[in-house]
Amino acid sequence: MKSASIVVIGAGIGGISAATHLAKRGMHVTMLEKNNNPGGRCDTFEREGHRFNTGPTLLVMPHLYETEFAALGEDVHDLLDMERIDPTYHLVFDDASQLALTSDLASMSRQLEAMEPGSFRGFLRYIEEGQRHYNVGVERLVERDFRSLFDFINLRNMPLAYSLKPLVPHYRHMGQFFKGSRLKSAFTFQDVYMGLSPFRAPATFSLMPYSELAHGVWHPRGGMYGVIDGLMAMARGENVEFEFGASVDKIEVDGSRTRGVRLADGRFVPADIVIANADLPYVYNDLLPDKGPAERMAHKQFSCSVISFFWGVDKAYPAIKPHTLFLADDYRENFVAIDDQHSIPDNPSLYIHAPSRIDASMAPAGEDTLIAIVPVGHMDDGSEQDWTAIRDKAREAVYRRLKLIGITDLDQHLKFEVNYTPLSWRKRYNLMKGATHGLAHTLTQLAYFRPHNRHARYRNLYFTGASTHPGTGVPSALISGRLVAERVMDDLRG
């Protein structure tokens, strides 16, 4: 087979995955990245000896990493030095009571029965269901490329409408297992990883809590950017070419095909095939000439956003565990504010990551590196959004929540703060509406119904990343890159 010249726009996880797969098959691949380093949202920076990961902060679904790295010819355990974190999370409720989620069933039994007598049996049933959802969902939905409607709707998949409970809202389904609202929230907050409210997410997503407890939550040494380092080593080993600081201004098209890309500096880079790893709504709106498809894409449902605080602290706070979640009792009201009002809740649930608790390389000795993440609504032209005021409200919410675990002086020990709002996410990563997870994972935007990995009109233009199939998250991006590479190779073979 003749080698094709391929240009990949954006050096995110999906793009690097696709590029490496194609280079291994003899293609000449050039990656163009507007920022000065690879990774996309899985980004990193260092300041005064404090190391931060700006995107994902934990490695979940490790079996998918093993499978996808093996498909690239490497053992993930050879490339990443990973430590399992157990308890996975420390949950803190409004009255300062806590629940440590752990794979230690004896500990879970004691904690759950103390909170709600009889709930441990419900927990076991829930995890059993999550296992079924994981095994079936990953094989039949996540790792599949739905190139036609009949790949999705067929006799083999028909039972999934019942077995995976896609039509049942996740939070409502929790009533089958728990009575109290706190335990319902304790096993549905993971839906936010998909940018979704548990009140709108399908019950299928019980696969996430199952995988975290059964397969583990892991920390690669140096943080999640270690995944990028591993991918880059494989890509460079296959002679993928990288150009950083190279912003693509538009994708040049001619009839039903693309010709290549035009850079912001005026250069034209010809290509037999273009793969866009930039956020898909941005690609349609800013890089392609067709306004109709761009408008339809802009009217799809977008995920929430987050405000992230990156703090270098001059003392250590051992009371903050590696992964601490403060879950509000007004859980439903949180998502009304985020999804319907596109704002910040009055009493937001929020997450704090202390990587130096498990990895001394993340902070200077005797100091702390802290990341606080507060979910908020995405940008909306129809709403009044003062992001400076919302950011300040989010910061005060973090300080207020920390008092529940005895920390009252954090603001007095900050060496510096870097913060990202939806405006930051849009500017740095070209995320439309500042939606950190791209298009939402609603029922009508999942599997076959999620935007496909090849353009309907331009037959040599392909897509990978969070807003395409199978969706957001590092494992999904790895899979998306592989699926795109397979599609490209199939099309080249004719």
Side-chain angles (χ1 to χ4, degrees), residues 317-458:
Y317 286 94
I320 305 177
K321 306 304 180 185
H323 303 291
T324 302
L325 279 119
F326 294 86
L327 291 178
D329 285 342
D330 46 357
Y331 194 59
R332 184 184 297 273
E333 288 76 9
N334 262 240
F335 292 101
V336 170
I338 292 168
D339 289 346
D340 299 336
Q341 299 167 4
H342 300 128
S343 187
I344 183 173
D346 290 331
N347 180 38
S349 297
L350 55 92
Y351 162 73
I352 300 180
H353 177 43
S356 48
R357 207 67 66 247
I358 47 180
D359 185 347
S361 71
M362 302 299 286
E367 300 185 356
D368 236 342
T369 294
L370 299 177
I371 301 171
I373 299 177
V374 184
V376 296
H378 60 62
M379 297 170 66
D380 177 30
D381 292 338
S383 302
E384 292 186 9
Q385 296 171 308
D386 181 343
W387 289 113
T388 298
I390 292 173
R391 178 202 62 197
D392 293 345
K393 183 176 180 179
R395 184 189 299 107
E396 290 304 314
V398 177
Y399 292 161
R400 185 173 67 249
R401 289 309 192 99
L402 284 172
K403 292 177 181 178
L404 294 173
I405 57 174
I407 296 174
T408 60
D409 62 348
L410 178 66
D411 59 329
Q412 300 169 35
H413 291 278
L414 295 185
K415 298 166 61 180
F416 61 85
E417 172 186 292
V418 175
N419 60 71
Y420 286 9
T421 71
L423 295 170
S424 313
W425 300 114
R426 182 180 66 176
K427 180 179 179 180
R428 181 163 179 81
Y429 305 109
N430 289 333
L431 302 179
M432 185 175 284
K433 301 178 186 286
T436 46
H437 301 79
L439 295 178
H441 292 70
T442 59
L443 184 61
T444 56
Q445 294 179 177
L446 283 175
Y448 174 78
F449 303 108
R450 199 162 184 80
H452 296 183
N453 293 333
R454 190 181 73 178
H455 196 282
R457 177 181 178 186
Y458 307 118

Side-chain angles (χ1 to χ4, degrees), residues 126-326:
Y126 179 64
I127 294 301
E128 181 182 8
E129 179 181 89
Q131 180 180 24
R132 293 196 301 271
H133 288 177
Y134 178 91
N135 291 338
V136 175
V138 167
E139 177 192 353
R140 306 275 283 279
L141 298 179
V142 176
E143 295 186 321
R144 291 284 309 280
D145 185 7
F146 300 105
R147 300 184 185 181
S148 76
L149 181 62
F150 297 106
D151 289 336
F152 179 63
I153 299 178
N154 53 54
L155 289 176
R156 185 167 182 258
N157 282 348
M158 291 298 284
L160 301 184
Y162 172 78
S163 63
L164 292 181
K165 298 180 172 59
L167 303 178
V168 182
H170 196 183
Y171 188 87
R172 189 177 79 191
H173 184 57
M174 298 304 291
Q176 300 291 319
F177 308 100
F178 306 110
K179 296 178 182 178
S181 59
R182 286 185 173 179
L183 290 185
K184 292 177 183 177
S185 65
F187 295 103
T188 58
F189 69 81
Q190 294 91 342
D191 295 346
V192 179
Y193 297 167
M194 314 296 286
L196 272 183
S197 159
F199 298 92
R200 296 179 177 175
T204 312
F205 289 159
S206 63
L207 62 87
M208 286 291 294
Y210 157 74
S211 180
E212 289 177 344
L213 291 172
H215 306 148
V217 168
W218 298 78
H219 175 85
R221 180 170 175 78
M224 285 297 290
Y225 203 75
V227 176
I228 304 302
D229 289 336
L231 289 172
M232 287 296 291
M234 289 188 285
R236 288 191 162 119
E238 298 296 338
N239 298 314
V240 175
E241 296 179 3
F242 291 86
E243 184 175 345
F244 296 103
S247 181
V248 173
D249 189 57
K250 64 179 177 178
I251 299 171
E252 299 273 9
V253 300
D254 183 10
S256 62
R257 299 185 66 80
T258 68
R259 300 173 49 245
V261 300
R262 181 76 58 182
L263 302 186
D265 63 11
R267 285 182 295 149
F268 176 69
V269 181
D272 298 317
I273 291 166
V274 174
I275 300 174
N277 185 210
D279 187 48
L280 189 63
Y282 169 81
V283 173
Y284 272 86
N285 190 69
D286 289 69
L287 302 186
L288 288 171
D290 313 293
K291 295 308 174 187
E295 290 176 3
R296 290 193 291 274
M297 184 68 66
H299 282 90
K300 289 184 178 292
Q301 295 186 57
F302 285 73
S303 72
C304 67
S305 189
V306 300
I307 293 177
S308 295
F309 299 99
F310 306 98
W311 289 322
V313 187
D314 66 12
K315 62 176 284 189
Y317 286 94
I320 305 177
K321 306 304 180 185
H323 303 291
T324 302
L325 279 119
F326 294 86

Side-chain angles (χ1 to χ4, degrees), residues 91-99 182 326 403-406:
L91 309 183
V92 183
F93 300 100
D94 283 349
D95 61 359
S97 62
Q98 298 191 26
L99 172 64
R182 286 185 173 179
F326 294 86
K403 292 177 181 178
L404 294 173
I405 57 174

